[in-house]
Amino acid sequence: MKTKFFQILGVVAVSVISFNSCTTDACKDVDCGLNGECVDGDCVCDAGYEGVNCETEERTKFIAAYSVSESCTSGNYTYNITAATSATNISSIVVSNFGDYGVSVTGTVDGSTLTFASQSVTISGSAASISGSGQLSGSILTITYTIVAGTESDTCTMTCTKQ
């Protein structure tokens, strides 16, 4: 009986050793840099980063000068804007001359989507609020936004082409 017990114990021990020696670490040769973590062999990037090794800021693709063709309920307009990095958040950009109002607004980047949460601006000495969202496709950024000043509002779609 003791012999049978030790035989079974030996088979179990050999099986455990064999099983453990066959498992591999999927993350052994994966380098996600400082901006990500390896999970099951793939990099999972921190917020604001993308790329195979989490090496690229998501917002980088938005940073540029753009020529704008805009269609609003109040009319059609052309002008230029500039998108630059924000110093306050890795996922944010600042758009200067937004709506050709001479104001800067901050947007949050998530992949190829840009969101402008409602924010207060001053236009020609009057208080207003701007909110909207956009999508980047290649070199074209399309933004739809609403501006509200007092009881007046205007809804616009900007087609922005990287210069």
Side-chain angles (χ1 to χ4, degrees), residues 76-136:
N76 297 318
Y77 311 94
T78 58
Y79 55 94
N80 295 313
I81 61 171
T82 303
T85 59
S86 168
T88 60
N89 185 323
I90 191 70
S91 297
S92 296
I93 64 170
V94 176
V95 178
S96 301
N97 195 36
F98 193 92
D100 202 25
Y101 296 111
V103 298
S104 295
V105 296
T106 301
T108 303
V109 173
D110 184 7
S112 293
T113 301
L114 180 60
T115 304
F116 298 96
S118 182
Q119 47 203 287
S120 298
V121 294
T122 302
I123 299 171
S124 301
S126 298
S129 66
I130 294 175
S131 62
S133 62
Q135 189 72 33
L136 181 66

Short mmCIF file of all heavy atoms in Angstrom, two decimals, residues 76-136:
data_model
loop_
_atom_site.label_atom_id
_atom_site.label_comp_id
_atom_site.label_asym_id
_atom_site.label_seq_id
_atom_site.Cartn_x
_atom_site.Cartn_y
_atom_site.Cartn_z
N ASN A 76 -21.47 80.70 -44.13
CA ASN A 76 -20.26 79.92 -44.44
C ASN A 76 -19.03 80.81 -44.28
O ASN A 76 -19.07 81.99 -44.65
CB ASN A 76 -20.34 79.38 -45.86
CG ASN A 76 -21.50 78.42 -46.04
OD1 ASN A 76 -21.76 77.58 -45.19
ND2 ASN A 76 -22.21 78.56 -47.14
N TYR A 77 -17.93 80.22 -43.78
CA TYR A 77 -16.74 80.99 -43.45
C TYR A 77 -15.48 80.18 -43.79
O TYR A 77 -15.51 78.96 -43.82
CB TYR A 77 -16.72 81.34 -41.96
CG TYR A 77 -18.03 81.94 -41.49
CD1 TYR A 77 -19.02 81.13 -40.93
CD2 TYR A 77 -18.29 83.29 -41.64
CE1 TYR A 77 -20.23 81.65 -40.51
CE2 TYR A 77 -19.50 83.83 -41.22
CZ TYR A 77 -20.46 83.01 -40.66
OH TYR A 77 -21.66 83.55 -40.26
N THR A 78 -14.38 80.91 -44.03
CA THR A 78 -13.07 80.28 -44.20
C THR A 78 -12.07 81.04 -43.32
O THR A 78 -12.15 82.27 -43.21
CB THR A 78 -12.58 80.29 -45.66
OG1 THR A 78 -12.53 81.63 -46.13
CG2 THR A 78 -13.48 79.46 -46.55
N TYR A 79 -11.16 80.31 -42.73
CA TYR A 79 -10.14 80.89 -41.84
C TYR A 79 -9.13 79.80 -41.49
O TYR A 79 -9.20 78.69 -42.02
CB TYR A 79 -10.78 81.50 -40.58
CG TYR A 79 -11.63 80.53 -39.80
CD1 TYR A 79 -11.10 79.80 -38.74
CD2 TYR A 79 -12.97 80.34 -40.12
CE1 TYR A 79 -11.89 78.89 -38.03
CE2 TYR A 79 -13.76 79.45 -39.41
CZ TYR A 79 -13.21 78.74 -38.37
OH TYR A 79 -13.98 77.85 -37.66
N ASN A 80 -8.19 80.10 -40.60
CA ASN A 80 -7.18 79.14 -40.17
C ASN A 80 -7.22 78.94 -38.66
O ASN A 80 -7.56 79.88 -37.92
CB ASN A 80 -5.77 79.63 -40.55
CG ASN A 80 -5.59 79.69 -42.05
OD1 ASN A 80 -5.94 78.75 -42.76
ND2 ASN A 80 -5.07 80.80 -42.55
N ILE A 81 -6.88 77.73 -38.23
CA ILE A 81 -6.73 77.42 -36.81
C ILE A 81 -5.40 76.71 -36.61
O ILE A 81 -4.79 76.23 -37.56
CB ILE A 81 -7.88 76.54 -36.26
CG1 ILE A 81 -7.92 75.18 -36.98
CG2 ILE A 81 -9.21 77.26 -36.34
CD1 ILE A 81 -8.89 74.17 -36.36
N THR A 82 -4.98 76.61 -35.36
CA THR A 82 -3.79 75.86 -35.00
C THR A 82 -4.11 74.98 -33.80
O THR A 82 -4.70 75.45 -32.83
CB THR A 82 -2.63 76.81 -34.63
OG1 THR A 82 -2.38 77.68 -35.73
CG2 THR A 82 -1.37 76.03 -34.30
N ALA A 83 -3.72 73.70 -33.88
CA ALA A 83 -3.88 72.78 -32.77
C ALA A 83 -2.50 72.51 -32.18
O ALA A 83 -1.57 72.14 -32.91
CB ALA A 83 -4.53 71.47 -33.23
N ALA A 84 -2.36 72.69 -30.88
CA ALA A 84 -1.08 72.51 -30.18
C ALA A 84 -1.29 71.66 -28.93
O ALA A 84 -2.43 71.50 -28.47
CB ALA A 84 -0.49 73.87 -29.81
N THR A 85 -0.22 71.14 -28.39
CA THR A 85 -0.33 70.32 -27.17
C THR A 85 -0.74 71.20 -26.00
O THR A 85 -0.44 72.39 -25.95
CB THR A 85 1.01 69.63 -26.84
OG1 THR A 85 2.01 70.62 -26.66
CG2 THR A 85 1.42 68.64 -27.91
N SER A 86 -1.43 70.58 -25.07
CA SER A 86 -1.80 71.24 -23.83
C SER A 86 -0.80 70.82 -22.76
O SER A 86 -0.43 69.65 -22.69
CB SER A 86 -3.21 70.81 -23.40
OG SER A 86 -3.47 71.21 -22.07
N ALA A 87 -0.38 71.76 -21.94
CA ALA A 87 0.58 71.46 -20.88
C ALA A 87 -0.10 70.81 -19.67
O ALA A 87 0.57 70.28 -18.80
CB ALA A 87 1.29 72.73 -20.44
N THR A 88 -1.42 70.82 -19.64
CA THR A 88 -2.12 70.35 -18.44
C THR A 88 -2.49 68.87 -18.47
O THR A 88 -2.72 68.28 -17.42
CB THR A 88 -3.41 71.16 -18.20
OG1 THR A 88 -4.26 71.02 -19.33
CG2 THR A 88 -3.09 72.62 -17.96
N ASN A 89 -2.58 68.25 -19.67
CA ASN A 89 -3.06 66.87 -19.74
C ASN A 89 -2.50 66.20 -20.99
O ASN A 89 -2.58 66.77 -22.08
CB ASN A 89 -4.58 66.87 -19.76
CG ASN A 89 -5.19 65.50 -19.70
OD1 ASN A 89 -4.68 64.55 -20.30
ND2 ASN A 89 -6.30 65.38 -19.01
N ILE A 90 -1.99 64.99 -20.86
CA ILE A 90 -1.40 64.24 -21.97
C ILE A 90 -2.43 63.94 -23.06
O ILE A 90 -2.07 63.69 -24.20
CB ILE A 90 -0.73 62.94 -21.46
CG1 ILE A 90 0.12 62.30 -22.55
CG2 ILE A 90 -1.75 61.95 -20.96
CD1 ILE A 90 1.35 63.04 -22.90
N SER A 91 -3.70 63.98 -22.74
CA SER A 91 -4.76 63.67 -23.71
C SER A 91 -5.43 64.91 -24.28
O SER A 91 -6.43 64.80 -24.97
CB SER A 91 -5.82 62.78 -23.05
OG SER A 91 -5.26 61.55 -22.67
N SER A 92 -4.88 66.09 -23.99
CA SER A 92 -5.54 67.33 -24.41
C SER A 92 -4.74 68.10 -25.45
O SER A 92 -3.52 68.03 -25.48
CB SER A 92 -5.77 68.24 -23.20
OG SER A 92 -6.66 67.64 -22.29
N ILE A 93 -5.49 68.84 -26.29
CA ILE A 93 -4.89 69.79 -27.22
C ILE A 93 -5.60 71.14 -27.05
O ILE A 93 -6.72 71.20 -26.53
CB ILE A 93 -4.98 69.32 -28.68
CG1 ILE A 93 -6.43 69.22 -29.17
CG2 ILE A 93 -4.23 68.02 -28.88
CD1 ILE A 93 -6.56 69.01 -30.67
N VAL A 94 -4.94 72.19 -27.49
CA VAL A 94 -5.53 73.53 -27.46
C VAL A 94 -5.66 74.00 -28.91
O VAL A 94 -4.69 73.98 -29.67
CB VAL A 94 -4.65 74.51 -26.66
CG1 VAL A 94 -5.22 75.92 -26.72
CG2 VAL A 94 -4.50 74.04 -25.22
N VAL A 95 -6.87 74.41 -29.29
CA VAL A 95 -7.12 74.91 -30.63
C VAL A 95 -7.25 76.42 -30.56
O VAL A 95 -8.13 76.95 -29.88
CB VAL A 95 -8.40 74.27 -31.24
CG1 VAL A 95 -8.67 74.84 -32.62
CG2 VAL A 95 -8.27 72.75 -31.29
N SER A 96 -6.34 77.10 -31.26
CA SER A 96 -6.33 78.57 -31.29
C SER A 96 -7.15 79.08 -32.48
O SER A 96 -7.18 78.45 -33.52
CB SER A 96 -4.89 79.08 -31.43
OG SER A 96 -4.12 78.63 -30.35
N ASN A 97 -7.77 80.23 -32.29
CA ASN A 97 -8.66 80.88 -33.26
C ASN A 97 -9.87 80.01 -33.58
O ASN A 97 -10.39 80.02 -34.69
CB ASN A 97 -7.92 81.27 -34.55
CG ASN A 97 -8.74 82.25 -35.38
OD1 ASN A 97 -9.42 83.12 -34.84
ND2 ASN A 97 -8.68 82.10 -36.69
N PHE A 98 -10.33 79.29 -32.59
CA PHE A 98 -11.48 78.40 -32.76
C PHE A 98 -12.68 79.19 -33.27
O PHE A 98 -13.03 80.24 -32.73
CB PHE A 98 -11.83 77.72 -31.43
CG PHE A 98 -12.78 76.57 -31.56
CD1 PHE A 98 -12.32 75.29 -31.72
CD2 PHE A 98 -14.16 76.78 -31.55
CE1 PHE A 98 -13.18 74.22 -31.86
CE2 PHE A 98 -15.03 75.72 -31.69
CZ PHE A 98 -14.55 74.44 -31.84
N GLY A 99 -13.32 78.70 -34.33
CA GLY A 99 -14.50 79.34 -34.90
C GLY A 99 -14.23 80.70 -35.50
O GLY A 99 -15.16 81.44 -35.81
N ASP A 100 -12.95 81.07 -35.64
CA ASP A 100 -12.53 82.39 -36.12
C ASP A 100 -12.96 83.49 -35.15
O ASP A 100 -13.15 84.64 -35.52
CB ASP A 100 -13.06 82.68 -37.52
CG ASP A 100 -12.25 83.75 -38.26
OD1 ASP A 100 -11.05 83.93 -37.92
OD2 ASP A 100 -12.80 84.40 -39.16
N TYR A 101 -13.10 83.10 -33.87
CA TYR A 101 -13.49 84.05 -32.84
C TYR A 101 -12.28 84.64 -32.13
O TYR A 101 -12.44 85.46 -31.22
CB TYR A 101 -14.41 83.40 -31.79
CG TYR A 101 -15.73 82.93 -32.36
CD1 TYR A 101 -16.01 81.57 -32.48
CD2 TYR A 101 -16.69 83.85 -32.77
CE1 TYR A 101 -17.22 81.14 -32.99
CE2 TYR A 101 -17.91 83.42 -33.29
CZ TYR A 101 -18.15 82.07 -33.40
OH TYR A 101 -19.35 81.65 -33.92
N GLY A 102 -11.07 84.15 -32.45
CA GLY A 102 -9.87 84.63 -31.77
C GLY A 102 -9.72 84.07 -30.37
O GLY A 102 -8.97 84.63 -29.56
N VAL A 103 -10.40 82.97 -30.07
CA VAL A 103 -10.31 82.34 -28.74
C VAL A 103 -9.64 80.97 -28.87
O VAL A 103 -9.59 80.38 -29.94
CB VAL A 103 -11.70 82.18 -28.08
CG1 VAL A 103 -12.35 83.54 -27.86
CG2 VAL A 103 -12.60 81.27 -28.90
N SER A 104 -9.15 80.50 -27.75
CA SER A 104 -8.57 79.15 -27.68
C SER A 104 -9.48 78.26 -26.85
O SER A 104 -9.98 78.69 -25.81
CB SER A 104 -7.18 79.19 -27.04
OG SER A 104 -6.28 79.90 -27.86
N VAL A 105 -9.70 77.03 -27.33
CA VAL A 105 -10.50 76.06 -26.58
C VAL A 105 -9.68 74.78 -26.43
O VAL A 105 -8.81 74.49 -27.25
CB VAL A 105 -11.86 75.77 -27.25
CG1 VAL A 105 -12.73 77.01 -27.28
CG2 VAL A 105 -11.69 75.21 -28.63
N THR A 106 -9.98 74.03 -25.39
CA THR A 106 -9.26 72.79 -25.10
C THR A 106 -10.13 71.60 -25.43
O THR A 106 -11.30 71.56 -25.06
CB THR A 106 -8.85 72.75 -23.61
OG1 THR A 106 -8.03 73.89 -23.35
CG2 THR A 106 -8.07 71.49 -23.29
N GLY A 107 -9.54 70.64 -26.14
CA GLY A 107 -10.24 69.41 -26.50
C GLY A 107 -9.50 68.20 -25.95
O GLY A 107 -8.29 68.24 -25.72
N THR A 108 -10.24 67.13 -25.73
CA THR A 108 -9.68 65.88 -25.23
C THR A 108 -9.66 64.85 -26.34
O THR A 108 -10.68 64.60 -26.99
CB THR A 108 -10.51 65.35 -24.04
OG1 THR A 108 -10.55 66.36 -23.03
CG2 THR A 108 -9.90 64.09 -23.46
N VAL A 109 -8.50 64.23 -26.55
CA VAL A 109 -8.29 63.24 -27.60
C VAL A 109 -8.49 61.84 -27.05
O VAL A 109 -8.01 61.51 -25.97
CB VAL A 109 -6.86 63.37 -28.18
CG1 VAL A 109 -6.56 62.24 -29.15
CG2 VAL A 109 -6.66 64.72 -28.84
N ASP A 110 -9.22 61.02 -27.81
CA ASP A 110 -9.38 59.59 -27.51
C ASP A 110 -9.34 58.87 -28.85
O ASP A 110 -10.33 58.87 -29.58
CB ASP A 110 -10.68 59.32 -26.77
CG ASP A 110 -10.82 57.86 -26.35
OD1 ASP A 110 -9.86 57.08 -26.52
OD2 ASP A 110 -11.90 57.50 -25.86
N GLY A 111 -8.18 58.31 -29.19
CA GLY A 111 -8.02 57.69 -30.50
C GLY A 111 -8.05 58.77 -31.56
O GLY A 111 -7.23 59.69 -31.55
N SER A 112 -9.00 58.69 -32.49
CA SER A 112 -9.14 59.70 -33.55
C SER A 112 -10.30 60.65 -33.28
O SER A 112 -10.70 61.42 -34.15
CB SER A 112 -9.35 59.01 -34.90
OG SER A 112 -8.17 58.32 -35.26
N THR A 113 -10.84 60.60 -32.06
CA THR A 113 -11.96 61.45 -31.68
C THR A 113 -11.48 62.60 -30.80
O THR A 113 -10.61 62.42 -29.94
CB THR A 113 -13.02 60.63 -30.92
OG1 THR A 113 -13.47 59.57 -31.77
CG2 THR A 113 -14.21 61.47 -30.50
N LEU A 114 -12.04 63.76 -31.02
CA LEU A 114 -11.72 64.96 -30.25
C LEU A 114 -13.01 65.50 -29.66
O LEU A 114 -14.00 65.68 -30.37
CB LEU A 114 -11.09 65.99 -31.19
CG LEU A 114 -10.67 67.33 -30.63
CD1 LEU A 114 -9.62 67.16 -29.54
CD2 LEU A 114 -10.11 68.21 -31.76
N THR A 115 -13.02 65.74 -28.35
CA THR A 115 -14.22 66.22 -27.67
C THR A 115 -13.94 67.54 -26.98
O THR A 115 -12.94 67.68 -26.27
CB THR A 115 -14.70 65.19 -26.62
OG1 THR A 115 -14.92 63.94 -27.27
CG2 THR A 115 -15.99 65.65 -25.95
N PHE A 116 -14.82 68.50 -27.20
CA PHE A 116 -14.74 69.80 -26.54
C PHE A 116 -15.88 69.88 -25.53
O PHE A 116 -17.03 70.11 -25.91
CB PHE A 116 -14.88 70.94 -27.56
CG PHE A 116 -13.79 70.96 -28.59
CD1 PHE A 116 -13.98 70.37 -29.83
CD2 PHE A 116 -12.57 71.55 -28.32
CE1 PHE A 116 -12.99 70.38 -30.79
CE2 PHE A 116 -11.57 71.55 -29.26
CZ PHE A 116 -11.77 70.97 -30.50
N ALA A 117 -15.56 69.64 -24.27
CA ALA A 117 -16.56 69.81 -23.22
C ALA A 117 -16.95 71.29 -23.18
O ALA A 117 -16.17 72.15 -23.59
CB ALA A 117 -16.00 69.38 -21.87
N SER A 118 -18.13 71.58 -22.71
CA SER A 118 -18.60 72.96 -22.65
C SER A 118 -17.60 73.82 -21.88
O SER A 118 -17.18 73.47 -20.78
CB SER A 118 -19.97 73.01 -21.98
OG SER A 118 -20.44 74.35 -21.98
N GLN A 119 -17.19 74.92 -22.51
CA GLN A 119 -16.24 75.82 -21.87
C GLN A 119 -16.59 77.26 -22.17
O GLN A 119 -17.12 77.58 -23.23
CB GLN A 119 -14.80 75.51 -22.27
CG GLN A 119 -14.56 75.32 -23.75
CD GLN A 119 -13.33 74.49 -24.01
OE1 GLN A 119 -12.22 74.97 -23.83
NE2 GLN A 119 -13.50 73.26 -24.45
N SER A 120 -16.32 78.12 -21.20
CA SER A 120 -16.65 79.54 -21.31
C SER A 120 -15.54 80.28 -22.04
O SER A 120 -14.36 80.03 -21.81
CB SER A 120 -16.83 80.15 -19.93
OG SER A 120 -17.92 79.52 -19.28
N VAL A 121 -15.95 81.18 -22.92
CA VAL A 121 -15.02 82.05 -23.64
C VAL A 121 -15.60 83.45 -23.65
O VAL A 121 -16.79 83.65 -23.41
CB VAL A 121 -14.78 81.55 -25.10
CG1 VAL A 121 -14.07 80.21 -25.10
CG2 VAL A 121 -16.08 81.47 -25.88
N THR A 122 -14.75 84.42 -23.95
CA THR A 122 -15.20 85.80 -24.10
C THR A 122 -14.96 86.22 -25.53
O THR A 122 -13.83 86.17 -26.03
CB THR A 122 -14.45 86.74 -23.13
OG1 THR A 122 -14.66 86.28 -21.79
CG2 THR A 122 -14.95 88.17 -23.27
N ILE A 123 -16.04 86.63 -26.20
CA ILE A 123 -15.96 87.04 -27.60
C ILE A 123 -16.47 88.47 -27.70
O ILE A 123 -17.62 88.74 -27.35
CB ILE A 123 -16.78 86.09 -28.51
CG1 ILE A 123 -16.22 84.67 -28.39
CG2 ILE A 123 -16.78 86.58 -29.94
CD1 ILE A 123 -17.05 83.61 -29.05
N SER A 124 -15.60 89.36 -28.14
CA SER A 124 -15.95 90.79 -28.27
C SER A 124 -16.55 91.33 -26.97
O SER A 124 -17.54 92.06 -26.98
CB SER A 124 -16.93 91.00 -29.43
OG SER A 124 -16.36 90.55 -30.64
N GLY A 125 -15.98 90.94 -25.84
CA GLY A 125 -16.40 91.43 -24.54
C GLY A 125 -17.63 90.74 -23.97
O GLY A 125 -18.07 91.09 -22.88
N SER A 126 -18.21 89.76 -24.68
CA SER A 126 -19.41 89.07 -24.20
C SER A 126 -19.09 87.62 -23.85
O SER A 126 -18.29 86.96 -24.54
CB SER A 126 -20.51 89.09 -25.26
OG SER A 126 -20.88 90.42 -25.53
N ALA A 127 -19.74 87.11 -22.83
CA ALA A 127 -19.55 85.72 -22.41
C ALA A 127 -20.28 84.78 -23.35
O ALA A 127 -21.39 85.08 -23.81
CB ALA A 127 -20.06 85.52 -20.99
N ALA A 128 -19.65 83.66 -23.65
CA ALA A 128 -20.25 82.63 -24.51
C ALA A 128 -19.74 81.27 -24.04
O ALA A 128 -18.79 81.19 -23.25
CB ALA A 128 -19.87 82.87 -25.96
N SER A 129 -20.39 80.23 -24.53
CA SER A 129 -19.89 78.88 -24.24
C SER A 129 -19.82 78.10 -25.55
O SER A 129 -20.65 78.29 -26.45
CB SER A 129 -20.78 78.15 -23.24
OG SER A 129 -22.05 77.91 -23.79
N ILE A 130 -18.80 77.24 -25.63
CA ILE A 130 -18.58 76.42 -26.82
C ILE A 130 -18.48 74.97 -26.39
O ILE A 130 -17.82 74.66 -25.40
CB ILE A 130 -17.28 76.84 -27.55
CG1 ILE A 130 -17.40 78.25 -28.12
CG2 ILE A 130 -16.93 75.85 -28.66
CD1 ILE A 130 -16.13 78.79 -28.75
N SER A 131 -19.12 74.07 -27.16
CA SER A 131 -18.99 72.63 -26.93
C SER A 131 -19.15 71.92 -28.26
O SER A 131 -19.77 72.44 -29.18
CB SER A 131 -20.05 72.13 -25.93
OG SER A 131 -21.34 72.34 -26.45
N GLY A 132 -18.54 70.73 -28.37
CA GLY A 132 -18.67 69.97 -29.61
C GLY A 132 -17.74 68.78 -29.64
O GLY A 132 -17.15 68.39 -28.62
N SER A 133 -17.61 68.21 -30.83
CA SER A 133 -16.74 67.04 -30.98
C SER A 133 -16.27 66.96 -32.43
O SER A 133 -16.84 67.59 -33.32
CB SER A 133 -17.47 65.76 -30.59
OG SER A 133 -18.58 65.55 -31.44
N GLY A 134 -15.23 66.16 -32.63
CA GLY A 134 -14.68 66.03 -33.96
C GLY A 134 -14.08 64.66 -34.19
O GLY A 134 -13.91 63.87 -33.27
N GLN A 135 -13.73 64.43 -35.45
CA GLN A 135 -13.15 63.15 -35.87
C GLN A 135 -12.04 63.45 -36.87
O GLN A 135 -12.23 64.24 -37.80
CB GLN A 135 -14.23 62.28 -36.52
CG GLN A 135 -13.82 60.87 -36.81
CD GLN A 135 -13.69 60.05 -35.55
OE1 GLN A 135 -14.40 60.26 -34.57
NE2 GLN A 135 -12.76 59.13 -35.54
N LEU A 136 -10.87 62.82 -36.66
CA LEU A 136 -9.75 62.96 -37.58
C LEU A 136 -9.69 61.76 -38.49
O LEU A 136 -9.72 60.61 -38.04
CB LEU A 136 -8.44 63.09 -36.80
CG LEU A 136 -7.18 63.28 -37.64
CD1 LEU A 136 -7.21 64.63 -38.36
CD2 LEU A 136 -5.95 63.20 -36.75
#
